[in-house]
Amino acid sequence: MTQDRSALHAIPMIAPTRLRCATARLRGVVAAAGLAVLLAGCASTSGGVATAQHPPKRGTQIPNVRQPTHTARDPSFQAIPGAEGVIGSSESQLVRMFGEPRLNVWEGDARKLQFTGKACLLDVYLYPSAATKEPRASYIDARRVSDGQDVDRAACIAALRK
C-alpha cells in the first residue's frame, strides 16, 4: 500500500486553471480548423468569380431569337359614362385630346399611355383588335397624383382635356 501512495505522488497533477486554459486553446484550434474546412467547401474550381460572356466577334452567326406570335383577340371595351370619347380612340386621337403622354409603354401587343395633370393621372390601355391591328383604347384607370388613390375617371378625363 505504501508503494501505491508513492506512485500517486509521482504522477504530476495538473492545476485546474491550467486545465481550463489548455481546454480553451484546444477549442480555439478546433474552431479555426472547422472554419477552414467550411470555407474550403465554398471555394469553386473557377476561382469563385463569375465572368461575363464576351459579345460575339464580327462575322459570327448570332442565334435566332424566337419572336412572340401575334394572337389577335378582340378586346372588351369599358363602358364608363363620360369616357365615350376616350374608349375606342387610337394613340394619335388621345394625343390630340390630352397632349403628349408622360409614359408610353409597350408590353407585347398591348400599350399603356399615361397622361398627367395637376389633379390626377390617367392610364389608358390600348389593345389591337383582330380587324384593325391598330391599338385602340379599351380600358382606363384614374388616380390622384398626390397619393395614388382612385378618382372618378370621367372627372379626370374632363380635367385633362386640352
Side-chain angles (χ1 to χ4, degrees), residues 29-107:
V29 170
V30 169
L35 183 60
V37 169
L38 288 173
L39 290 175
C42 293
S44 69
T45 57
S46 67
V49 178
T51 57
Q53 292 182 349
H54 297 288
K57 295 179 183 175
R58 288 185 185 222
T60 60
Q61 183 70 5
I62 297 175
N64 289 334
V65 177
R66 187 177 70 105
Q67 297 298 318
T69 57
H70 177 73
T71 54
R73 59 195 179 281
D74 286 326
S76 58
F77 293 97
Q78 234 178 359
I80 298 172
E84 295 85 9
V86 177
I87 298 296
S89 298
S90 67
E91 177 190 3
S92 59
Q93 291 169 326
L94 292 168
V95 169
R96 278 195 298 276
M97 268 187 256
F98 304 117
E100 287 299 316
R102 179 176 161 259
L103 289 177
N104 186 344
V105 181
W106 281 94
E107 284 189 27

Side-chain angles (χ1 to χ4, degrees), residues 98 100 102 114-122 143-146 156 159-161:
F98 304 117
E100 287 299 316
R102 179 176 161 259
Q114 187 178 80
F115 301 96
T116 58
K118 290 182 181 179
C120 65
L121 64 88
L122 182 72
R143 55 190 184 277
R144 280 193 301 239
V145 174
S146 60
C156 185
L160 293 176
R161 281 192 195 262

